[in-house]
Amino acid sequence: MVQFDKYDDSNIFARIIRGEIPCKKVYEDDKVLSFYDINPKGAVHILVIPKREYMRFQDFCVLSTSQDVAHFFKILNQIALDVSKKYSGYKITINNDTGGGQEVPHFHAHIICQ
Ligand code: AMP
């Protein structure tokens, strides 16, 4: 299995964070950015990412502070609740490493409503 081994700051989400590429923003604070997925796999498909450079889920959990991890998941929960009001529920997906279906090497969570 191929794994990402070093953070590549030319990845598409790093470029979105730097404002080099536009996104349809859902939420932003100093640590977290959320925007609509360009290729939605449901009626609603939103991505939530930390602004700091973490390649994958375990990097975020291990290298980030507990406070930042908690903040990320509280925001993820709040966005999921807000955007799913019209739907009967939502799915949160985190793809991890290429073998886990991760294409963009910047940690992110998907929120999908069908
Ligand atoms: P993953 O397979 O978990 O790495 O998911 C990457 C996601 O990023 C896919 O669902 C893509 O459709 C989405 N994506 C790629 N480029 C962009 C972009 N410029 N703006 C918004 N979403 C994007």
Side-chain angles (χ1 to χ4, degrees):
M1 186 209 319
V2 180
Q3 292 196 326
F4 309 123
D5 56 348
K6 189 172 174 295
Y7 187 84
D8 172 10
D9 70 1
S10 68
N11 79 73
I12 196 95
F13 293 171
R15 299 185 67 197
I16 287 174
I17 291 166
R18 290 197 295 269
E20 296 168 5
I21 291 178
C23 69
K24 201 172 159 201
K25 207 175 285 182
V26 173
Y27 174 87
E28 181 171 21
D29 65 27
D30 59 332
K31 293 181 186 299
V32 177
L33 177 65
S34 175
F35 52 91
Y36 285 92
D37 195 291
I38 205 165
N39 182 22
K41 297 171 185 72
V44 175
H45 188 165
I46 286 167
L47 300 169
V48 184
I49 67 175
K51 287 187 173 176
R52 292 190 69 176
E53 299 179 346
Y54 302 106
M55 273 185 293
R56 53 173 95 78
F57 182 54
Q58 69 262 36
D59 300 320
F60 176 64
C61 290
V62 171
L63 301 174
S64 192
T65 64
S66 299
Q67 200 178 12
D68 285 356
V69 172
H71 177 71
F72 180 86
F73 283 100
K74 281 181 182 291
I75 295 298
L76 177 63
N77 174 56
Q78 193 55 56
I79 295 170
L81 290 175
D82 289 347
V83 301
S84 67
K85 279 187 182 127
K86 285 194 295 184
Y87 302 88
S88 54
Y90 58 86
K91 178 165 67 177
I92 290 177
T93 308
I94 295 172
N95 298 324
N96 212 52
D97 269 325
T98 51
Q102 184 179 1
E103 291 172 0
V104 178
H106 180 110
F107 164 62
H108 53 280
H110 300 251
I111 301 169
I112 299 172
C113 303
Q114 298 296 345

